[in-house]
């Protein structure tokens, strides 16, 4: 998050503790027009950050391999490979990518206009060679290098870079036209302020923002039904359900920062969504230091919340899940086989129990467990919590629940992608505490679903596993889950994963 004046920072605690109308976080039903618009945006988009990141790796590989190819062409493939050549080629290729990044040549606007950036790319490539030559001269190694070889590589490398950028320009324009690569935004708040914001965003050349609609609590007299050609699709509460259907990337709040109470009231409803939340600053009288803003084109924005585990972090986490899920399946396959046999011998019914639970962004997912109850007495809705000495639980079921062996099939959920290995534990859709749904007990409960749920989690290794028989227990589990989301890192995931078997030895709340 960008640094802004502490007096105007909207912290998560400030948002959660702000008084809002009762039931303000409950999503309402959306109208037919809003539902039709939302259905157009169900498909995931390609992140511009991911596209430019992949291009960096492709260009490095292309430059390095072309340099080696030129070397082998002149020297011969089976001749001795002098170590200094591949080292110099790799260093120059890496330096070129770094300099292209520093000079903003990987920005989407630059990639869409390769001819306008021809001189900049040429200058960076020439500068990389100049720095390589200067380094070789400084270490007295310049005589070891062939000028013809590197001159040829200079020409070949530039043709490849620029040719790839011409191709990328065409692809990016097509992806943008087809809606496959864009950042989808909703405007929160209507009227004149929203119109000014939309006009400012639309003026930006090569803009990747697609405005999908406007949501505002005010009636049509104070907030027109159509603003700058975009329809008002509903109220702020209805926006929650809209964002559950559509793949939205960003919410832009078009209210002045001085209206702090109103902004907090809106954020109280919106912060549970897994999206970037920005406060438009284009018409604010308050002015911060330039580094306090992020920008959409030249339109300044204050970053209120960022989508957690996004872009490359999500790639790293998915790779983590795949690798460790496979390891877990291989290591525990004898235990799972023995458990399946024991369940079949102990009672009639299927080995696996499937239950619908809340997943990422409140999507309904199906979670696998070993069956621990009698088949005719199981409770897929989880309205009735399992208690100590519960007669519905089988003999084998008591053991596998106590040891958490019943959860082992969820390695397959993680491998297939509906769960992550580490994250907030998924709760059954109808899970209750004292006849109240969990989201009715805990303020901001649905913020747990801003990331994929996990097989294990920070709450579980801190003792908040098993029966949630009091409101305080579900509140504490939610607090730990939100702490995990706000402080996520790969090292944090590793710590939780390796502590899980140790903490499972405490079976006090597992039955």
């Amino acid at each position: 998050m960008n640094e802004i004046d502490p007096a105007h920072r909207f912290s998560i605690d400030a948002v959660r503790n702000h008084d809002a109308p009762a039931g303000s976080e409950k999503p309402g039903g959306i109208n037919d027009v809003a539902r039709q618009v939302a259905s157009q945006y169900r498909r995931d988009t390609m992140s511009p950050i991911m596209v430019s990141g992949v291009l960096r790796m492709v260009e490095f590989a292309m430059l390095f391999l072309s340099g080696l190819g030129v070397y082998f062409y002149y020297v011969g493939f089976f001749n001795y490979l002098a170590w200094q050549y591949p080292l110099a080629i790799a260093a120059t290729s890496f330096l070129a990518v770094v300099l292209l990044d520093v000079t903003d040549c990987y920005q989407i606007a630059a990639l869409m206009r390769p001819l306008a950036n021809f001189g900049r790319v040429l200058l960076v490539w020439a500068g990389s060679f100049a720095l390589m030559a200067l380094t070789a001269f400084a270490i007295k190694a310049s005589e070891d290098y062939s000028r013809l070889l590197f001159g040829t590589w200079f020409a070949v490398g530039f043709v490849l870079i620029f040719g790839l950028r011409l191709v990328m320009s065409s692809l990016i324009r097509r992806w943008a036209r087809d809606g496959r690569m864009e950042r989808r935004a909703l405007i929160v708040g209507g009227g004149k302020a929203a119109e000014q914001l939309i006009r400012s965003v639309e003026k930006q050349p090569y803009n990747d923002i697609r405005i999908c609609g406007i949501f505002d609590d005010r009636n049509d007299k104070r907030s027109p039904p159509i603003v700058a050609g975009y329809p008002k699709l509903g109220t702020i509460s209805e926006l929650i359900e809209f964002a559950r259907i559509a793949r939205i990337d960003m919410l832009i709040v078009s209210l002045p920062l001085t209206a702090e109470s109103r902004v907090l009231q809106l954020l109280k409803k919106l912060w549970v969504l897994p999206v970037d939340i920005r406060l438009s600053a284009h018409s604010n009288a308050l002015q911060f230091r330039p580094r306090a803003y992020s920008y959409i084109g030249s339109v300044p924005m204050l970053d209120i919340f960022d989508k957690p585990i996004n872009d490359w972090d999500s790639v790293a986490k998915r790779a983590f899940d795949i690798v460790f899920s496979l390891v877990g399946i291989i290591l525990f396959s004898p235990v799972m086989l023995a458990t399946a046999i024991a369940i079949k011998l102990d009672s009639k019914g299927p080995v696996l129990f499937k239950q619908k639970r809340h997943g990422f962004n409140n999507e309904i997912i199906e979670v696998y467990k070993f069956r621990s109850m009698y088949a005719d007495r199981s409770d897929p809705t989880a309205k009735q919590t399992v208690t100590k000495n519960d007669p519905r639980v089988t003999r084998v079921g008591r053991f596998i629940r106590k040891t958490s062996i019943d959860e082992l099939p969820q390695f397959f959920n993680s491998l297939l992608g509906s769960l992550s290995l580490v994250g907030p534990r998924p709760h059954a859709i109808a899970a209750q505490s004292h006849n109240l749904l969990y989201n009715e007990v805990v303020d901001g409960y649905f913020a747990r679903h801003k990331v994929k749920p996990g097989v294990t989690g920070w709450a579980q290794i801190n003792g908040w596993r098993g029966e949630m028989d009091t409101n305080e227990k579900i509140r504490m589990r939610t607090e730990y889950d939100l702490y995990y989301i706000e402080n996520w890192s790969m090292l944090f995931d590793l710590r939780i994963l390796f502590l899980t078997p140790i903490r499972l030895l405490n079976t006090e709340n597992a039955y």
Side-chain angles (χ1 to χ4, degrees):
M1 185 177 288
N2 290 313
E3 184 180 347
I4 64 176
D5 275 354
H8 295 101
R9 183 188 297 278
F10 293 97
S11 69
I12 289 178
D13 288 340
V15 170
R16 293 179 65 195
N17 296 328
H18 178 73
D19 289 332
S24 63
E25 287 186 50
K26 297 178 184 178
I30 59 176
N31 59 61
D32 291 340
V33 174
R35 190 172 297 278
Q36 185 177 356
V37 172
S39 66
Q40 298 174 11
Y41 300 111
R42 283 182 180 273
R43 189 174 64 175
D44 280 322
T45 58
M46 301 165 60
S47 163
I49 294 174
M50 296 290 288
V51 170
S52 62
V54 170
L55 182 61
R56 288 173 175 85
M57 292 187 288
V58 170
E59 287 194 336
F60 171 78
M62 188 173 63
L63 291 173
F64 178 67
L65 292 175
S66 65
L68 285 183
V70 170
Y71 175 82
F72 288 131
Y73 176 78
Y74 280 108
V75 177
F77 188 80
F78 296 104
N79 289 350
Y80 173 70
L81 181 63
W83 65 268
Q84 64 267 30
Y85 275 100
L87 182 62
I89 290 168
T92 305
S93 302
F94 180 76
L95 180 61
V97 171
V98 170
L99 291 177
L100 286 168
D101 190 22
V102 169
T103 55
D104 293 332
C105 289
Y106 288 110
Q107 297 294 320
I108 294 299
L111 294 175
M112 293 179 73
R113 304 170 63 216
L115 294 177
N117 289 276
F118 178 91
R120 193 190 311 179
V121 175
L122 180 59
L123 184 63
V124 165
W125 186 226
S128 302
F129 269 76
L131 287 172
M132 179 193 66
L134 185 62
T135 303
F137 176 78
I139 63 175
K140 299 181 179 180
S142 57
E143 293 182 358
D144 296 334
Y145 295 105
S146 165
R147 290 164 179 77
L148 177 62
L149 189 155
F150 279 99
T152 304
W153 183 40
F154 178 85
V156 171
F158 181 73
V159 169
L160 289 174
I161 290 178
F162 195 71
L164 177 60
R165 285 170 175 263
L166 288 173
V167 172
M168 284 301 300
S169 172
S170 176
L171 286 175
I172 290 172
R173 290 173 188 275
R174 183 191 304 169
W175 292 336
R177 188 170 56 248
D178 296 343
R180 295 174 60 191
M181 194 183 81
E182 59 190 7
R183 287 185 292 169
R184 295 169 180 165
L186 294 174
I187 306 296
V188 181
K192 208 68 178 175
E195 183 178 1
Q196 291 174 2
L197 170 63
I198 292 169
R199 300 295 187 203
S200 298
V201 171
E202 287 181 335
K203 285 180 183 177
Q204 306 307 314
Y206 306 105
N207 185 18
D208 65 334
I209 295 290
R210 180 189 290 269
I211 297 172
C212 302
I214 299 168
F215 286 83
D216 196 349
D217 280 340
R218 295 173 296 180
N219 59 36
D220 289 350
K221 288 184 178 180
R222 298 180 61 197
S223 177
I226 297 179
V227 178
Y230 292 91
K232 186 172 73 174
L233 298 175
T235 64
I236 306 303
S237 294
E238 291 167 347
L239 184 155
I240 304 292
E241 184 174 341
F242 183 94
R244 302 291 191 206
I245 300 172
R247 298 294 187 179
I248 299 299
D249 301 297
M250 182 187 303
L251 303 179
I252 304 176
V253 180
S254 65
L255 292 175
L257 191 60
T258 49
E260 183 168 332
S261 179
R262 174 64 176 146
V263 172
L264 281 170
Q265 185 180 339
L266 290 177
L267 296 179
K268 177 81 172 179
K269 301 177 183 181
L270 301 175
W271 77 285
V272 300
L273 293 172
V275 297
D276 295 332
I277 300 181
R278 303 288 181 256
L279 179 61
S280 170
H282 78 287
S283 60
N284 277 323
L286 293 171
Q287 295 295 318
F288 301 122
R289 296 181 299 275
R291 64 176 180 169
Y293 299 111
S294 63
Y295 290 86
I296 297 176
S298 62
V299 180
M301 300 280 172
L302 290 173
D303 297 355
I304 306 300
F305 293 118
D306 290 324
K307 181 179 179 180
I309 315 180
N310 201 16
D311 296 321
W312 289 105
D313 285 341
S314 65
V315 174
K317 188 165 175 62
R318 182 68 188 125
F320 178 95
D321 289 342
I322 291 172
V323 170
F324 282 96
S325 295
L326 287 172
V327 170
I329 290 169
I330 293 169
L331 285 179
F332 291 104
S333 56
V335 177
M336 288 193 277
L337 181 60
T339 303
I341 294 171
I343 291 171
K344 270 297 185 185
L345 294 174
D346 184 50
S347 61
K348 294 180 180 180
V351 168
L352 290 179
F353 173 69
K354 300 176 184 178
Q355 188 176 60
K356 294 189 183 301
R357 300 190 179 189
H358 278 127
F360 172 71
N361 200 21
N362 272 29
E363 292 177 350
I364 306 303
I365 60 173
E366 199 169 57
V367 172
Y368 308 139
K369 296 180 69 174
F370 281 123
R371 180 175 59 83
S372 59
M373 294 184 180
Y374 293 102
D376 59 346
R377 303 176 71 181
S378 62
D379 180 19
T381 63
K383 283 187 177 181
Q384 184 181 347
T385 307
V386 177
T387 57
K388 196 170 186 176
N389 299 320
D390 196 314
R392 297 175 298 164
V393 180
T394 65
R395 289 176 301 171
V396 171
R398 286 193 181 91
F399 176 76
I400 64 176
R401 291 178 73 92
K402 200 85 170 171
T403 55
S404 293
I405 289 174
D406 63 325
E407 310 282 1
L408 290 180
Q410 289 167 30
F411 278 119
F412 292 97
N413 279 112
S414 177
L415 183 64
L416 296 173
S418 57
L419 292 183
S420 181
L421 266 183
V422 181
R425 285 291 293 149
H427 294 151
I429 298 170
Q432 297 181 356
S433 173
H434 299 294
N435 296 320
L436 290 175
L437 295 173
Y438 286 170
N439 65 292
E440 295 173 319
V441 174
V442 182
D443 188 29
Y445 170 81
F446 285 127
R448 301 174 72 252
H449 304 152
K450 289 163 71 168
V451 299
K452 277 186 186 179
V455 177
T456 184
W458 182 236
Q460 280 62 44
I461 70 167
N462 281 281
W464 302 104
R465 62 184 283 248
E467 183 184 3
M468 294 287 104
D469 55 345
T470 68
N471 291 351
E472 181 61 18
K473 285 184 178 180
I474 186 58
R475 285 195 187 99
M476 290 305 298
R477 180 181 282 191
T478 303
E479 286 296 327
Y480 276 87
D481 289 338
L482 295 181
Y483 177 88
Y484 166 78
I485 293 171
E486 294 157 19
N487 296 277
W488 175 86
S489 70
M490 291 299 297
L491 288 177
F492 198 10
D493 271 6
L494 279 170
R495 178 186 172 191
I496 293 170
L497 192 63
F498 287 116
L499 282 175
T500 295
I502 300 171
R503 301 297 170 86
L504 287 180
L505 295 176
N506 179 7
T507 61
E508 182 181 354
N509 295 322
Y511 34 82

